Amino acid sequence: MTPAPPVASGPPDLSVYIHVPFCAVRCGYCDFNTYTATELGGGGSQREYPANAMREMDLTLAADAAGGYPYQQVSTVFFGGGTPTLLPAGDLIAMLAHLRSLIPLAPGAEVTTEANPDSVTPESLAQLAEGGITRVSFGMQSAVRSVLSTLDRTHDPERVPQVVQWAREAGLAVSLDLIYGTPGETLADVETSVRAALSCGVDHLSAYSLIIEGNTAMARRLRRGEITPPDGDDMADKYELIDDLATADGLSWYEVSNFARSPAHRSRHNLAYWQGKDWWGIGPGAHRHRDGLRSWNVKHPSRYAAKLNAGELPVAESEQVDPKARRMERIMLELRIIDGLDVDVVPPAQRPMLEVHRDRGHLDADALAAGRAVLTRPGRLLADAVIRDLVP
């Protein structure tokens, strides 16, 4: 087992998530806070967005400083969305440069942008790398055209190896994201997609099970009986296939849905979430966390811009998470990662369930004897059930 890192002295490092809420097409399964219009009015356009995000950074830093929360450095940055690369590369670079002017980036900081395969060129990727981006996460989703069509994805699957090569030539680390469990997708389709992703030689792979959220086009199709919901046993078979193929290629799981070739290739930004660290959320609808204080922004880009233009943080609501809830969240998040959970975090009344799940083969027996709850592969398949048994 990898030991937990020592606690650093002084101000904590910060992770920063920058939400770019624009997409060329809204996918039928997506319930993220995204918009397809180029011009939204009220200051919410794509053209005006970088200046708005930078204004929010200024106000957030001032608010944290006034509250007695300084930051030593930014260790990770993640441009997510939406499709960040719908904006010109210069816009992402400008936002990153502004952030760096406020808080230094740590040496070797991880700076990731999400991208769709059809939203980049060799020139834009080279420009991003020159501007400080270190990593790109492509939304591949599938290598099977019929599956991409069901998901409303617009890219040509044959483009994926090409954009991975362009990114590598630019000096960027590359991750590919897959979705499994799309209605109509077969086990053979999943194998095709995973083998296609691995053949690109990437060092990081994410594979997320499709969740059909209630207020999406896909959910409406489900209610009309046009598609059938994913079957639990089928989803388990697909996950095990993904795990087998990734492992055979030299990748190892480090979070239930994420695989990396080595610890150095893990997503440090996402690990900051799973480990309960502090992060800023910049952009419409983005969430932030600071020492148990959670807040989230207004969702619509026009309302977001209006608040910033009035000199206000664009916060919709906030809450101070109480110790009981923080413990519950820690169990929910840390149990999903390979380092596992310190068993002392589990409330005493729930600790007998640790032995129950060990005996069922869901928790690693050696790790549990050493004081940590670590999921086995069968346990990963039932992670939500294990977590439910460990929280009050």
Side-chain angles (χ1 to χ4, degrees):
M1 296 301 299
T2 303
V7 177
S9 59
D13 282 7
L14 179 70
S15 290
V16 177
Y17 173 75
I18 302 172
H19 184 66
V20 180
F22 307 109
C23 283
V25 175
R26 186 169 180 82
C27 300
Y29 63 90
C30 179
D31 73 336
F32 293 164
N33 186 42
T34 61
Y35 303 84
T36 56
T38 301
E39 296 294 332
L40 291 171
S45 70
Q46 293 182 23
R47 177 178 54 82
E48 295 163 292
Y49 177 74
N52 291 336
M54 289 187 276
R55 190 174 297 118
E56 185 186 358
M57 293 178 199
D58 293 339
L59 293 172
T60 302
L61 181 65
D64 279 0
Y69 288 91
Y71 297 104
Q72 178 176 332
Q73 58 188 6
V74 173
S75 56
T76 71
V77 182
F78 196 102
F79 291 93
T83 307
T85 44
L86 276 186
L87 299 182
D91 285 353
L92 301 185
I93 293 167
M95 287 186 276
L96 178 62
H98 188 74
L99 174 64
R100 187 189 289 119
S101 75
L102 300 177
I103 309 173
L105 289 188
E110 177 191 272
V111 184
T112 302
T113 185
E114 292 182 331
N116 285 344
D118 53 4
S119 68
V120 297
T121 64
E123 294 74 22
S124 69
L125 289 166
Q127 188 178 353
L128 289 170
E130 291 168 5
I133 306 296
T134 66
R135 183 173 179 272
V136 61
S137 179
F138 286 115
M140 176 182 174
Q141 317 310 5
S142 176
V144 179
R145 293 179 187 276
S146 61
V147 175
L148 290 172
S149 177
T150 301
L151 293 171
D152 297 321
R153 303 294 290 187
T154 58
H155 67 269
D156 184 338
E158 294 180 2
R159 186 176 173 86
V160 173
Q162 185 178 48
V163 298
V164 170
Q165 180 180 348
W166 292 344
R168 285 183 172 278
E169 289 171 351
L172 296 166
V174 182
S175 175
L176 290 177
D177 289 356
L178 297 175
I179 291 177
Y180 65 95
T182 300
E185 180 187 57
T186 66
L187 198 63
D189 290 337
V190 173
E191 180 170 0
T192 295
S193 297
V194 177
R195 290 192 183 280
L198 295 173
S199 71
C200 295
V202 293
D203 296 314
H204 189 280
L205 183 70
S206 299
Y208 300 108
S209 61
L210 178 66
I211 298 174
I212 303 178
E213 303 287 358
N215 191 30
T216 62
M218 187 170 282
R220 292 189 287 275
R221 292 183 63 195
L222 181 64
R223 289 193 290 269
R224 291 194 298 264
E226 298 173 5
I227 56 176
T228 57
D231 172 77
D233 290 339
D234 179 62
M235 296 289 270
D237 290 343
K238 289 171 178 173
Y239 180 84
E240 290 183 329
L241 174 62
I242 294 166
D243 188 47
D244 286 341
L245 293 172
T247 300
D249 197 67
L251 279 71
S252 302
W253 82 281
Y254 71 97
E255 191 275 339
V256 170
S257 300
N258 288 271
F259 305 82
R261 198 164 298 281
S262 75
H265 295 107
R266 297 173 184 174
S267 170
R268 286 184 273 147
H269 185 85
N270 286 338
L271 279 168
Y273 296 148
W274 297 320
Q275 293 169 347
K277 297 183 179 179
D278 289 343
W279 75 86
W280 282 1
I282 302 297
H287 289 231
R288 66 177 57 85
H289 175 265
R290 187 192 72 192
D291 192 31
L293 177 65
R294 180 183 294 112
S295 62
W296 51 97
N297 287 344
V298 296
K299 286 190 170 184
H300 198 279
S302 297
R303 286 192 62 210
Y304 170 79
K307 281 186 168 287
L308 290 167
N309 289 334
E312 303 174 21
L313 276 171
V315 173
E317 292 185 64
S318 63
E319 62 179 358
Q320 184 68 49
V321 184
D322 63 47
K324 180 179 178 181
R326 291 193 75 177
R327 173 187 280 195
M328 183 183 304
E329 290 182 0
R330 185 174 174 187
I331 294 169
M332 292 171 62
L333 294 171
E334 291 188 18
L335 194 64
R336 293 182 61 87
I337 60 178
I338 195 168
D339 290 342
L341 174 74
D342 187 327
V343 296
D344 290 340
V345 177
V346 179
Q350 275 70 42
R351 286 180 195 167
M353 294 305 300
L354 292 167
E355 283 72 29
V356 170
H357 282 290
R358 177 201 60 199
D359 295 343
R360 292 174 179 172
H362 301 156
L363 294 175
D364 182 271
D366 292 338
L368 193 61
R372 300 198 71 79
V374 177
L375 294 171
T376 61
R377 186 161 89 163
R380 280 183 269 154
L381 294 171
L382 297 169
D384 291 344
V386 177
I387 289 168
R388 282 196 299 269
D389 283 344
L390 299 182
V391 299

